[in-house]
Amino acid sequence: MHMIPLMIDLAGKRVVIFGGGEVGARKARFFAPEAEVTVISRSFSPLFSRLETEHINRDLSELHEEEITSLLDGAFLAVAATSDPSLNARIGHACRKGGVLFNNASGEAGDILIPSVIRGDHFLLALSTGGESPAVSRFLREYLQSTLPDLDRMVVLQNRLRRFLPRKEPDSRKRKDIVSKVLHDPEVWAVLGKGEEEAWQIVEEKYLQ
């Protein structure tokens, strides 16, 4: 898999999705919170009713190359989410010619893989097997969500600790050691569910005296 992970700010960027079925809706749900999403299809799944997306009614099977290129105008990224691999390949070809990043839901892989995502208020994790096993990505997402339900609170606690420690400990190596010990402390994790202050009290008693 010749890809590297990146976090991209899609605010104000246009994402075009070809295909209005369940796959297209799933792709739209991934991008819609951040990007300006346009979905092109002859019909649209009811799942789109809960998404903020623009719809263009077109019969995708009748699109010519020039029409595909026109629909990609101003796009940062495009997704081919149709059930026709040959149509998806034509969309991908148009994207490459126009310098538009491309994700292919069915057929030859494009430039972009859409990962399985775990999103909190203070963290974002992306998981991918390069398309070889979506089930493994889903398993990892569900496993992390079930085993680390208080990850958001740990991030907040760690940030508070990192801001506090320079006033308490001048040695950067010792500060790093304290941060690591707190992160690996099962007692701290156990009380995080009750709130940050309870966890902070344990951190003070064990590491900040």
Side-chain angles (χ1 to χ4, degrees), residues 51-107:
L51 302 175
E52 294 185 9
T53 56
E54 176 190 1
H55 296 173
I56 297 178
N57 290 91
R58 297 293 297 274
D59 187 341
L60 298 178
S61 64
E62 298 180 353
L63 290 179
H64 300 296
E65 301 303 321
E66 296 78 8
E67 293 175 299
I68 294 174
T69 299
S70 176
L71 291 167
L72 288 170
D73 186 44
F76 174 76
L77 184 152
V79 178
T82 81
S83 58
D84 183 351
S86 63
L87 174 57
N88 291 348
R90 289 200 294 123
I91 295 169
H93 178 70
C95 287
R96 285 189 290 274
K97 285 181 62 177
V100 177
L101 294 175
F102 174 62
N103 171 258
N104 195 352
S106 176

Side-chain angles (χ1 to χ4, degrees), residues 8-10 12-16 31 35-36 72-78 95 98-102 111-112:
I8 300 176
D9 184 358
L10 289 176
K13 291 183 171 60
R14 185 170 185 248
V15 173
V16 178
F31 290 108
E36 298 175 359
L72 288 170
D73 186 44
F76 174 76
L77 184 152
C95 287
V100 177
L101 294 175
F102 174 62
D111 314 291
I112 298 290

